[in-house]
C-alpha cells in the first residue's frame, strides 16, 4: 500500500506542473457566476481524459506499442515523436521553467531581465536533470518526499481560499457567458495532460517493474491506482484554484494571466509571507513535472536511437533551458494551435483502445478514425491562427472550436461495421 500511495503521489506530481497552476485561476475569474459549468468542462479534459488515458495505457499493456499496434509502425512512431516533442523540449517542459521563474523567482529580483532568466533556466533544468538521472529512484525521491511537501502547501492554500475568499463572484465574461462548459473544456487542453498521460504511463510502468512487479495484471492494477490517486489530487487542486479565480476580482484587478491572479490572491491572504508560500508551490510543482517530462522523453528517444537514456536526458535538459528563454506568453501562443490540431487525435486514440475488440477490423478502423480526427482538428487549428475557414461553419460545433467531435464519433461508430478479410485476426491480435 505504501508503494501504491507513493506511485500515486509521483504520478500526481508529474501531472501538476506549470499549466495546471496558471490556467485555472484565469478561467475561474472569467467564468464568474458560471463557475460550475466552466469548472466541470475543465475537469473533463484536465482530469477525466488524463485518467482515462492512464487506464488506456494499462488496458493496452502498458506502452505506446500496445496503444498503436493497429497502426503502421512508421505512423505510430511519428505520432509518439510529435507528442514527446510537444510535452518535452518544444512546449510543456520549457514552460515549467518559465512559470517557475515568473512566479517564484522574478518577484524577488529587483532588476529582473533576460540574464536572470537565463541563469535561472540553467540552474532549474540542471536540478531537474539531477533528479531524472536515476529512473529507479524516481518513486522514492518524488513520490515519498517532494510531492507530500507540495500537496501540504497546496492544501493550506485551498483551505484558506474557501475559508476566507477575497471577493465576490462577478458575472461571466466573454465566451464563458454563453458557452461556459465548452470554453472550460477547451481550456483544459492547455494543461497537455492527455498527451502526458499516454507518455507518463510508459514511465510509470518502468518504475513499477524496477520495484520488482513483473506480472502484467499486477502492473495494470498499480497503474490504474496511480491514475486514480493522481486524478483525485488534480481535481482537488483545480477546484480550489477555480474558486480562487472566481473570487479574485477585488484583489487581482488588471491581472492579465493566471500567474498574476494567483500571486495577488496569495499576497492578500497571507501578506508578505504569501510570496514565499507561492514560490514553494510553484517551484515544487514545476520541478517535479520537469523531472517527469525529461525522464519520459529520454526513455522513449533512447529506445529509438543508439544514444543512452543519460545522454538524451542531458540533451533534453539543455534544449529545455534554451527554449525557456523565449518567454512565457510567446510559448503559450505558439503551443495553442498545435494543441488544437493534435489533442483530438490523442483523445480518439484513447477511445479506440477501449472499443478495439468491438471493431469489425481494428487495423482499418484505427486508420479511419484517427485520420478523420486529424483532418477536422486541423480546421479548428486553422481557425485559431486566423486562416479563413468560414466556408466550413456549417459543421456541427464549428463555432465552439470542436468541429472534430461529431465526425470522429461517426467514424468510430462506422468502424464497428466496416470490416475486411483480416477482421478476425486483427481483433484478437
Amino acid at each position: 500500500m505504501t508503494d501504491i500511495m507513493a506511485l500515486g503521489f509521483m504520478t500526481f506530481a508529474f501531472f501538476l506542473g506549470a499549466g495546471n497552476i496558471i490556467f485555472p485561476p484565469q478561467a475561474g475569474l472569467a467564468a464568474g457566476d458560471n463557475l460550475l459549468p466552466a469548472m466541470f468542462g475543465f475537469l473533463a479534459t484536465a482530469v477525466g481524459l488524463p485518467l482515462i488515458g492512464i487506464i488506456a495505457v494499462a488496458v493496452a499493456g502498458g506502452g505506446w506499442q500496445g496503444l498503436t499496434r493497429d497502426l503502421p509502425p512508421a505512423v505510430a512512431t511519428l505520432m509518439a515523436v510529435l507528442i514527446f516533442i510537444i510535452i518535452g523540449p518544444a512546449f510543456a517542459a520549457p514552460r515549467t521553467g518559465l512559470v517557475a521563474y515568473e512566479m517564484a523567482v522574478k518577484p524577488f529580483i529587483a532588476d529582473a531581465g533576460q540574464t536572470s532568466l537565463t541563469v535561472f533556466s540553467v540552474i532549474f533544468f540542471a536540478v531537474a536533470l539531477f533528479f531524472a538521472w536515476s529512473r529507479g529512484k524516481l518513486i522514492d525521491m518524488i513520490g515519498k518526499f517532494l510531492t507530500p511537501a507540495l500537496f501540504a502547501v497546496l492544501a493550506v492554500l485551498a483551505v484558506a481560499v474557501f475559508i476566507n475568499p477575497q471577493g465576490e463572484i462577478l458575472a461571466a465574461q466573454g465566451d464563458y457567458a454563453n458557452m461556459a462548459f465548452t470554453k472550460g473544456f477547451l481550456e483544459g487542453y492547455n494543461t497537455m495532460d492527455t498527451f502526458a498521460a499516454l507518455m507518463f504511463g510508459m514511465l510509470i510502468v518502468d518504475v513499477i517493474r524496477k520495484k520488482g512487479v513483473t506480472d502484467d495484471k499486477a502492473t495494470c492494477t498499480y497503474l490504474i491506482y496511480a491514475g486514480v490517486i493522481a486524478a483525485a489530487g488534480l481535481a482537488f487542486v483545480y477546484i480550489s484554484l477555480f474558486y480562487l479565480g472566481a473570487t479574485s476580482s477585488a484583489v487581482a484587478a488588471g491581472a492579465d494571466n493566471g500567474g498574476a491572479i494567483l500571486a495577488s490572491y496569495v499576497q492578500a491572504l497571507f501578506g508578505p509571507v504569501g510570496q514565499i508560500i507561492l514560490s514553494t508551490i510553484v517551484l515544487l510543482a514545476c520541478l517535479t513535472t520537469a523531472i517527469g517530462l525529461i525522464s519520459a522523453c529520454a526513455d522513449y528517444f533512447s529506445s529509438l536511437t543508439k544514444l543512452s537514456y543519460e545522454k538524451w536526458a542531458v540533451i533534453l535538459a539543455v534544449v529545455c533551458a534554451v527554449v525557456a528563454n523565449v518567454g512565457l506568453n510567446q510559448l503559450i501562443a505558439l503551443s495553442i494551435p498545435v494543441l488544437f490540431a493534435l489533442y483530438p487525435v490523442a483523445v480518439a486514440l484513447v477511445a479506440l483502445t477501449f472499443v478495439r475488440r468491438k471493431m469489425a477490423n481494428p487495423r482499418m478502423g484505427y486508420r479511419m478514425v484517427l485520420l478523420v480526427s486529424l483532418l477536422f482538428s486541423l480546421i479548428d487549428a486553422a481557425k485559431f491562427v486566423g486562416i479563413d475557414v468560414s466556408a466550413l461553419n456549417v459543421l456541427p460545433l464549428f463555432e465552439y472550436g470542436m468541429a472534430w467531435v461529431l465526425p470522429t464519433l461517426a467514424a468510430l461508430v462506422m468502424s464497428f461495421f466496416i470490416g475486411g478479410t483480416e477482421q478476425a485476426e486483427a481483433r484478437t491480435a
Side-chain angles (χ1 to χ4, degrees):
M1 181 58 71
T2 301
D3 275 346
I4 289 177
M5 289 301 296
L7 189 68
F9 272 126
M10 181 192 76
T11 308
F12 165 74
F14 283 171
F15 280 120
L16 186 68
N20 314 74
I21 291 174
I22 63 176
F23 291 114
Q26 189 168 9
L29 175 60
D33 56 4
N34 280 340
L35 171 68
L36 287 179
M39 183 171 67
F40 285 129
F42 188 90
L43 291 174
T45 43
V47 176
L49 286 180
L51 174 58
I52 295 171
I54 287 283
I55 295 173
V57 172
V59 169
W64 182 254
Q65 187 174 359
L67 283 170
T68 58
R69 71 184 110 175
D70 295 301
L71 294 174
V75 173
T77 300
L78 177 61
M79 284 179 63
V81 169
L82 287 175
I83 292 175
F84 272 117
I85 288 173
I86 291 167
I87 68 168
F91 297 121
R95 189 175 67 181
T96 61
L98 272 168
V99 172
Y101 171 76
E102 292 283 344
M103 295 180 62
V105 175
K106 190 176 179 180
F108 295 105
I109 302 175
D111 298 313
Q114 187 62 42
T115 301
S116 57
L117 171 59
T118 301
V119 172
F120 175 79
S121 300
V122 172
I123 295 173
F124 179 86
F125 286 105
V127 173
L129 174 63
F130 171 78
F131 280 100
W133 195 267
S134 177
R135 291 171 289 175
K137 296 180 180 177
L138 274 176
I139 192 171
D140 297 311
M141 293 186 293
I142 295 176
K144 294 181 180 179
F145 301 108
L146 291 178
T147 314
L150 167 62
F151 197 80
V153 180
L154 282 169
V156 170
L157 174 60
V159 170
V161 167
F162 284 106
I163 290 178
N164 187 21
Q166 295 298 297
E168 299 294 323
I169 297 178
L170 304 180
Q173 306 168 27
D175 289 337
Y176 284 103
N178 52 22
M179 45 181 277
F181 179 88
T182 303
K183 180 64 175 174
F185 187 94
L186 294 175
E187 195 71 22
Y189 284 8
N190 287 313
T191 65
M192 304 189 192
D193 280 347
T194 300
F195 289 149
L198 301 179
M199 302 311 164
F200 282 158
M202 292 182 279
L203 179 64
I204 297 164
V205 167
D206 186 55
V207 171
I208 292 170
R209 287 175 178 162
K210 279 182 166 36
K211 284 288 180 181
V213 179
T214 55
D215 178 69
D216 287 343
K217 187 175 180 180
T219 300
C220 180
T221 302
Y222 269 66
L223 193 55
I224 292 173
Y225 277 137
V228 169
I229 293 169
L234 288 172
F236 167 78
V237 172
Y238 292 148
I239 290 169
S240 60
L241 289 180
F242 251 85
Y243 186 68
L244 179 152
T247 57
S248 67
S249 57
V251 297
D256 60 354
N257 61 70
I261 293 169
L262 185 57
S264 299
Y265 207 103
V266 171
Q267 178 73 23
L269 275 174
F270 300 107
V273 75
Q275 184 57 54
I276 297 174
I277 294 173
L278 180 62
S279 295
T280 303
I281 292 173
V282 172
L283 277 174
L284 285 174
C286 291
L287 181 61
T288 50
T289 300
I291 294 166
L293 292 174
I294 290 173
S295 296
C297 292
D299 190 53
Y300 182 72
F301 289 138
S302 65
S303 72
L304 293 181
T305 67
K306 294 181 179 179
L307 291 180
S308 66
Y309 169 90
E310 289 77 14
K311 288 179 180 177
W312 268 113
V314 172
I315 292 169
L316 290 164
V318 171
V319 172
C320 288
V322 172
V323 175
N325 284 272
V326 169
L328 183 58
N329 291 334
Q330 293 89 334
L331 200 61
I332 291 174
L334 287 170
S335 68
I336 291 176
V338 178
L339 294 177
F340 269 90
L342 293 181
Y343 224 81
V345 179
V347 174
L349 181 61
V350 169
L352 285 165
T353 303
F354 292 103
V355 300
R356 181 179 182 274
R357 291 190 174 275
K358 298 183 181 297
M359 300 172 79
N361 185 331
R363 291 187 178 92
M364 182 186 295
Y366 267 61
R367 289 160 173 76
M368 177 175 66
V369 173
L370 293 179
L371 181 60
V372 168
S373 67
L374 175 61
L375 290 175
F376 282 89
S377 64
L378 287 173
I379 295 171
D380 293 325
K383 186 174 71 170
F384 181 84
V385 298
I387 297 174
D388 184 11
V389 289
S390 56
L392 300 171
N393 61 7
V394 294
L395 292 171
L397 303 178
F398 174 86
E399 67 271 29
Y400 300 117
M402 298 176 67
W404 62 275
V405 173
L406 292 183
T408 303
L409 184 60
L412 190 64
V413 172
M414 288 172 60
S415 72
F416 297 156
F417 306 102
I418 298 176
T421 57
E422 299 178 4
Q423 53 186 338
E425 176 188 347
R427 249 198 322 270
T428 57

